[in-house]
Amino acid sequence: MKGDDAIYDVIIIGAGMGGLTAGALLAKDGLKTLVIEKHSIPGGYATSFKRKGFWFDSVLDAISGCHEGGWIWQALKRLCLEKEIQFTRLDPVRTDSFPDFKFDVKKDLNLFIADLQRLSPKDAKGIAELFTIMKEIHHAVMTLPADVVWKDPRIAKKYPLFYKYKDKTFNGLLDEYVRDEKARAILCDRSAFMGMPPSQVSAIGMATMIITYGMNGGYRINGLTQKLPDALAEAIRKNSGSLLFNSTVNKIIVKDKKAVGIAAEDGRTFYAKKIISNISAKKTFLELVGRGHLQNEFADKIEGMRPSVSFFLVYLGIDLDLKKMGLTHSIGSYPSFDIEGTFSDINRDICSPKASLELIIYTLTNPDMAPKGGHSLILMTKAGYDYEKDWKGCKEKEAEGLIKMAERVIPDLSRHIIIQDSATPLTLERYTGNDKGAAFGWAQGVDQVGLNRPQIETPIENLYLTGHWTIPGGGVESVVASGILVERKIIKEMGA
């Protein structure tokens, strides 16, 4: 591209779900839009791949925000894609499997609450009070902009419970209302999907996630997850936007404290009125922008922030009939009720006796992802990037360990494997560019949520963030929300 062809209204770095959402909406708004992506396909973590007749979604489990009014629904509605992309609401949302005890998290929030109260009658009143609090937290988060709900003192009067718990951990919240170890374990079951143990993860983040899935549902895309990013990419093209794959950005060009363009690895330069980064915030600011354009306080803050946990994943194509075995689509397998302990060995021994395991069985909702009579599934466990062993040297052994763990749920699994592949935190980092293979951007502890997280508007004029390195946080619905929010800001500023 040369001359006028290299000048855009908006350039988006990274074709993850936040960047794609922003790009598709801005292109529909009539802005000349370019999305530039290092990988060969769009979607970030929301991608799919095939191995010998078996299809796999790279890493996703259930997603939220697909109901009418949800963030994903809003984006699809705006783009006239709500009939093209169809979803299946999951029930149960998840099954928790403990030694000699299983619990289905039903899709109906009231049934979920009632099941917890039956499980622990002594906590029945406390469980009801806990969910009342979490509902108010959820309402505040989903109703008000982050820069309002987290700092405007007037909101404290309207949402006092949000303000009471905004600086507390989820354990801190549970300690006031629930004592039973089984009930606590179930309520903490998805702390892995917030990337932190219950003693560290934000009470606001966990409460919002629990209520979101309970009130509005968890979903799977009918077909492959890849259908969603592909549809957004096509929406960009249909509205005269451009996507450039297999291309890495080396620099964000800053002049007079304003972002004005980007320089690609192949030597090409592109200019725009607005730049959106959907990639790692550390890479965005410390490498592409450079410290010379940043205040030391801001640069130091970015440098000191912690990425979330990563995962080790084993992809299996098998010839067992898992439906006949009575299994559900998403199973968390735990060696005890100590959810906190499942995080303790992630940098030393990911298959230790304390480790938990996630089993995601896509073919129970999308049977066409495997040959007839077979199933596609992922085994997943938390893993530190700085694992003390060499990943290349230990990957096969760790995969065997994970398969053995999975045989607590699927007996004799190892004898029915047709195809096997795996991914380490390094694999996730290589394909997506996420620092240390972070699954959810920044770790979602109390000190890294809300206004403690980098905001969509940055200290560099005309440079914005989307994705899980900004607000609202990790997860597909949240990053899609960030894409919608940045589009609103840009349209308002440009008067388009």
Side-chain angles (χ1 to χ4, degrees), residues 13-29:
I13 307 168
M17 290 300 298
L20 288 171
T21 300
L25 293 172
L26 289 164
K28 186 174 179 62
D29 292 330

Side-chain angles (χ1 to χ4, degrees), residues 2 44 67 73 193 196 205 212 221-222 291 320 475-476 492:
K2 297 180 180 179
H67 65 287
W73 179 88
F193 291 90
M196 300 192 81
T212 292
I221 297 167
N222 293 349
R291 272 185 170 269
L320 280 169
V476 178
K492 182 177 180 181

Side-chain angles (χ1 to χ4, degrees), residues 6-7 251-263 269-275 288-290 292-294 458-463:
I7 300 174
K251 181 181 180 182
I252 294 174
I253 302 168
V254 179
K255 291 183 178 179
D256 299 323
K257 299 182 179 180
K258 297 179 181 180
V260 297
I262 60 100
T269 302
F270 305 91
Y271 292 92
K273 299 170 185 175
K274 304 287 185 180
I275 309 294
L288 301 190
V289 171
H293 295 290
L294 302 169
T458 78
I460 303 296
E461 190 173 343
N462 296 332
L463 175 62

Side-chain angles (χ1 to χ4, degrees), residues 97-127:
S97 178
F98 302 95
D100 303 318
F101 175 71
K102 289 185 180 180
F103 186 95
D104 286 337
V105 179
K106 295 186 174 70
K107 72 175 183 178
D108 184 284
L109 185 63
N110 291 326
L111 291 179
F112 176 35
I113 294 169
D115 286 345
L116 286 172
Q117 290 174 319
R118 276 191 291 272
L119 178 66
S120 179
K122 65 182 180 181
D123 286 322
K125 182 179 178 182
I127 289 169

Side-chain angles (χ1 to χ4, degrees), residues 408-446:
R408 299 187 306 223
V409 178
I410 308 175
D412 214 22
L413 172 63
S414 60
R415 296 181 58 186
H416 293 271
I417 297 171
I418 297 172
I419 180 67
Q420 177 178 327
D421 204 348
S422 59
T424 73
L426 277 72
T427 311
L428 301 182
E429 183 180 53
R430 184 171 70 252
Y431 278 101
T432 68
N434 282 291
D435 291 335
K436 298 193 173 184
F440 310 103
W442 303 118
Q444 298 177 99
V446 171

